[in-house]
Amino acid sequence: FDIVTDEDIKEGKINSYTLLILSNSASTSEKVNEGVIRYIDNGGSVFATYNTSLYDTQRQRREDFGLRRVLGVTYRRELESSYFSVNYPLNNKLTSSPIIAHKLLEVEAIDNTEILGRIILPSPTDLFPFTYVSAPSRITEIPSVTKKGRVIYCSADIGYSFMKASYIDHKYLIDNIVNLLAGNRIPIRVKAPSTLDVVLRKQNGRILIHLINLTTNQIVEDIECNSDIYEVIPLYEIEVELFRSDIKRIFRASDNQELPHIVKEDGIVFKIPKLELYEIIVCEVKG
C-alpha cells in the first residue's frame, strides 16, 4: 500500500490501485472529489468513513457530502457516542457484542444503496464497565454501513474508535470490508501478529516482501507510554501466501537461505521460521 496525496487523486495517479481508503478524509476540494469519482468510474473501489468529503478545504461544512452520489448516503446530523451492528458478510469473525462508535453520524441511504449495518442507540444510564459510552439498548433503522457498487461507507470513525478502545471487532470489520471490496485482487496474505508490518514491492524478474517486526517490550496505556523500547520480541513460523503461480525460487536477502514453498492452485505458501527485526524475502519469477 501507499499513502496518496490530493495531487495524486486529482491527477489520476491512483488508477492503478485496487482500493482507495478515505479514513475520515473530511476536508476535500471539488477537484479531489472529481478525482475520486473518476477513479470509481474507471473501476476502482473506495472505503470511506465518518466525515469524508463533508467539509471543504476551508473547513466549512457542506450542505451534504461532496461525494454524496458515489457514497450513496445523505447527511442528517452528528450523533453522540453509541454502537452499531453489521450484517453478513461483514460480521465474519466478529464477536456477538455491538461495535463501539465514539464518533458517529446519522445518515440516510439514497438511490437504492444497500444497508449492511445499523446504529444501536445507547441506554440513558451509564453502566460499568461501559466507561466510554452508555450500554446499548435497541437497533434503529439508521444505517451504519452502506454499500453502493464498489463503494462502502461507514458512518462511524472506526479508526479513531480502534485507537481509543483497541476493540478487536473494529479490526475484523476493516478486514472484512477490504476483503469484500478487493476480493481476489489482494496480492498477499500473512498469518502473523498485527505488529508485523508487511510491504510488497516489485522489481524486474522478482517480488520483494519487506517484513518489519514492531513487536517490542513497550507498554502502552491510553496515549502515554510507560517505558522506552529496548527489546524487539522475535516472531516465529510466519505463514505467507502469495497469489502468484510463476514463482520459481524464494530466499532471504540477509543470508541467501532458500525457503521451501508449496504450490497451490491460486499461488504459493511458505513459512519464515523466525523474524528478528527486519528481513527482505526475495521471490524470483519464472521466465
Side-chain angles (χ1 to χ4, degrees):
F1 72 95
D2 289 305
I3 296 174
V4 296
T5 66
D6 286 1
E7 296 302 316
D8 294 331
I9 295 174
K10 289 188 289 186
E11 296 173 9
K13 295 180 180 179
I14 62 171
N15 288 338
S16 62
Y17 292 91
T18 298
L19 173 65
L20 175 65
I21 298 178
L22 301 172
S23 178
N24 189 27
S25 300
S27 297
T28 58
S29 67
E30 295 301 328
K31 292 292 185 182
V32 166
N33 292 340
E34 291 169 4
V36 172
I37 293 171
R38 283 196 304 272
Y39 166 75
I40 295 169
D41 289 342
N42 289 330
S45 298
V46 170
F47 170 34
T49 69
Y50 194 42
N51 281 327
T52 293
S53 79
L54 189 58
Y55 294 81
D56 62 22
T57 54
Q58 303 302 313
R59 195 59 186 178
Q60 298 300 308
R61 196 178 73 194
R62 296 182 168 104
E63 291 185 5
D64 209 337
F65 298 104
L67 293 171
R68 175 179 180 273
R69 178 174 71 83
V70 292
L71 294 180
V73 294
T74 187
Y75 171 78
R76 287 291 175 256
R77 63 190 177 105
E78 183 89 21
L79 296 176
E80 298 292 332
S81 300
S82 191
Y83 301 83
F84 66 98
S85 63
V86 292
N87 309 325
Y88 177 83
L90 296 185
N91 58 1
N92 181 40
K93 296 196 296 184
L94 267 65
T95 68
S96 59
S97 301
I99 303 169
I100 297 172
H102 297 84
K103 297 181 179 181
L104 187 66
L105 296 183
E106 179 181 335
V107 299
E108 180 182 342
I110 58 173
D111 301 331
N112 298 316
T113 298
E114 183 181 2
I115 297 176
L116 298 180
R118 298 185 186 275
I119 289 175
I120 301 174
L121 292 180
S123 62
T125 56
D126 290 322
L127 301 174
F128 181 82
F130 297 96
T131 57
Y132 291 107
V133 293
S134 303
S137 58
R138 68 185 188 280
I139 297 178
T140 69
E141 293 299 312
I142 304 170
S144 59
V145 182
T146 59
K147 183 176 184 294
K148 183 180 181 184
R150 293 183 303 277
V151 179
I152 288 181
Y153 169 77
C154 178
S155 64
D157 189 349
I158 55 177
Y160 176 85
S161 289
F162 183 62
M163 177 192 73
K164 190 81 173 174
S166 297
Y167 187 38
I168 193 64
D169 277 0
H170 294 123
K171 175 183 179 298
Y172 286 151
L173 176 58
I174 294 171
D175 286 346
N176 293 338
I177 290 173
V178 170
N179 282 316
L180 182 59
L181 289 173
N184 58 11
R185 293 177 292 174
I186 295 176
I188 188 173
R189 296 185 192 276
V190 180
K191 292 183 180 179
S194 59
T195 47
L196 175 64
D197 193 17
V198 181
V199 179
L200 195 65
R201 289 289 182 262
K202 294 180 181 179
Q203 288 184 346
N204 291 334
R206 60 186 187 177
I207 296 170
L208 305 179
I209 304 172
H210 296 255
L211 302 173
I212 306 170
N213 183 10
L214 304 176
T215 315
T216 71
N217 67 286
Q218 190 179 64
I219 300 173
V220 179
E221 291 185 0
D222 293 331
I223 304 301
E224 298 181 0
C225 297
N226 288 343
S227 62
D228 294 329
I229 297 174
Y230 60 82
E231 182 181 13
V232 174
I233 301 172
L235 298 178
Y236 296 89
E237 298 300 318
I238 300 167
E239 183 176 293
V240 179
E241 188 171 7
L242 186 64
F243 297 100
R244 293 282 297 255
S245 57
D246 56 350
I247 302 300
K248 65 178 181 180
R249 179 172 176 250
I250 303 172
F251 62 93
R252 294 192 301 232
S254 60
D255 59 5
N256 206 38
Q257 177 67 45
E258 288 201 26
L259 299 173
H261 64 276
I262 299 172
V263 178
K264 299 178 64 177
E265 183 178 352
D266 55 352
I268 61 168
V269 177
F270 63 93
K271 286 189 176 182
I272 301 163
K274 181 180 180 180
L275 175 66
E276 295 282 357
L277 176 61
Y278 174 69
E279 183 61 87
I280 301 175
I281 305 299
V282 182
C283 302
E284 292 184 347
V285 180
K286 297 176 184 177

